[in-house]
């Protein structure tokens, strides 16, 4: 696991955007795994700014999002589909048919796995870090070999995401790529920023691998970069 520490969130976001952009310049047909949440917003902002200055950025790139809430329509303001349109897809030249987000209204976990396989697998996946160590919506206790499936969200995860829903009415379930699915990505970049991640980051750094702490599965992968905001580093 390769750790890179940055003075603040802006510097971390700059680096994350540079990693994504250089990957898709090197391979314009790259298949990318994309996260949602507050952490990757700075990365997406910089990617958009850079792509507006270039002729083609995303025209042949294919994307797979990590997860989506169950039981809400794609155009619900709190959906990850809405998030991706707002923060990336509406502002770059990605082809809508090349973007994939699990369907929260008619979830088809096996179908999503099939789509990833048909694309030839994911080359580069970006992840955020849940304060309880979750990655995507794989909560503590998730088997490391888990595949895309429907999961119940913990109260702490629902609370952390309450701001995105009217009256804090966060869905109780989600469809998420499994840890096993994520680990099949050739390369993984984990973004860690925000005070609420301090304990999770320390636990990840300790190197102890346990299914009680989903992010620790990343130690089993040979090509992981962790981008850390030094203000929460230990
Ligand atoms: C949600 C998402 C995760 C994300 C996590 C952290 O639970 N499903 O993919 O990494 O939140 O979000 P944030 O970056 O807002 O702290």
């Amino acid at each position: 696991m390769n750790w890179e520490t940055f003075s603040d969130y802006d510097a971390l976001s700059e680096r994350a955007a540079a990693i994504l952009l250089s990957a898709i310049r090197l391979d314009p047909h790259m298949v990318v795994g994309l996260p949602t949440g507050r952490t990757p917003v700075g990365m997406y902002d910089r990617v958009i700014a850079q792509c507006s200055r270039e002729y083609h950025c995303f025209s042949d790139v294919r994307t797979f999002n990590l997860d989506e809430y169950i039981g809400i329509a794609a155009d619900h303001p709190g959906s990850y589909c809405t998030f991706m349109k707002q923060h990336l897809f509406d502002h770059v030249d990605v082809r809508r048919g090349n973007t994939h987000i699990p369907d929260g209204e008619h979830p088809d976990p096996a179908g999503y796995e099939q789509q990833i396989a048909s694309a030839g697998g994911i080359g580069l996946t970006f992840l955020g870090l849940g304060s309880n160590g979750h990655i995507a919506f794989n909560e503590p206790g998730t088997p490391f070999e888990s595949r895309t499936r429907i999961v119940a969200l913990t109260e702490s995860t629902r609370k952390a995401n309450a701001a995105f829903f009217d009256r804090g009415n966060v869905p109780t379930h989600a469809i998420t790529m499994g840890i096993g699915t994520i680990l099949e990505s050739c390369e993984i970049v984990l973004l860690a920023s925000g005070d609420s991640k301090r304990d999770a980051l320390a636990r990840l750094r300790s190197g102890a691998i346990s299914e009680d702490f989903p992010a620790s599965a990343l130690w089993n992968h040979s090509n992981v970069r962790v981008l850390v905001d030094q203000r929460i580093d230990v």
Side-chain angles (χ1 to χ4, degrees):
M1 202 176 269
N2 185 356
W3 295 72
E4 297 181 31
T5 304
F6 299 88
S7 52
D8 56 22
Y9 175 67
D10 286 346
L12 180 152
S13 301
E14 189 78 45
R15 174 73 174 135
I19 293 171
L20 175 52
L21 287 166
S22 72
I24 64 180
R25 277 186 200 117
L26 206 64
D27 178 5
H29 292 85
M30 179 66 111
V31 181
V32 191
L34 294 176
T36 50
R38 298 169 187 86
T39 312
V41 169
M43 170 179 80
Y44 291 140
D45 287 349
R46 283 161 180 79
V47 166
I48 291 168
Q50 191 63 35
C51 283
S52 67
R53 291 194 282 274
E54 294 183 26
Y55 180 53
H56 286 307
C57 265
F58 280 85
S59 52
D60 294 315
V61 171
R62 287 161 294 166
T63 68
F64 285 90
N65 267 79
L66 298 168
D67 46 15
E68 178 60 285
Y69 293 104
I70 292 286
I72 58 171
D75 63 359
H76 184 285
S79 80
Y80 285 162
C81 190
T82 300
F83 175 100
M84 290 309 297
K85 285 185 184 160
Q86 283 174 351
H87 291 285
L88 186 68
F89 296 157
D90 281 353
H91 311 283
V92 295
D93 61 333
V94 71
R95 290 182 209 169
R96 223 23 86 81
N98 283 348
T99 66
H100 306 85
I101 300 180
D103 188 333
E105 269 193 302
H106 308 287
D108 177 11
Y112 202 60
E113 288 275 341
Q114 188 50 51
Q115 286 183 307
I116 295 171
S118 302
I122 299 176
L124 170 64
T125 297
F126 289 84
L127 298 174
L129 178 64
S131 46
N132 62 1
H134 73 239
I135 49 174
F137 270 135
N138 295 290
E139 299 281 23
T142 301
F144 285 172
E145 65 276 11
S146 54
R147 310 301 305 183
T148 302
R149 68 208 188 286
I150 294 171
V151 293
L153 301 177
T154 62
E155 277 315 305
S156 77
T157 296
R158 295 183 68 224
K159 218 166 155 185
N161 289 297
F164 300 105
F165 289 87
D166 201 23
R167 295 185 296 276
N169 219 351
V170 183
T172 55
H173 289 74
I175 172 169
T176 182
M177 274 189 209
I179 293 179
T181 318
I182 292 169
L183 292 181
E184 283 171 8
S185 176
C186 299
E187 186 180 354
I188 296 173
V189 179
L190 177 76
L191 312 178
S193 175
D195 275 341
S196 62
K197 313 298 171 63
R198 198 180 295 272
D199 292 349
L201 187 68
R203 198 162 167 191
L204 180 63
R205 264 232 200 258
S206 78
I209 299 174
S210 157
E211 288 184 349
D212 289 340
F213 187 68
S216 67
L218 299 175
W219 285 103
N220 292 337
H221 192 284
S222 59
N223 194 355
V224 175
R225 272 189 268 197
V226 184
L227 309 191
V228 186
D229 180 341
Q230 72 168 9
R231 295 169 303 174
I232 63 158
D233 208 0
V234 279

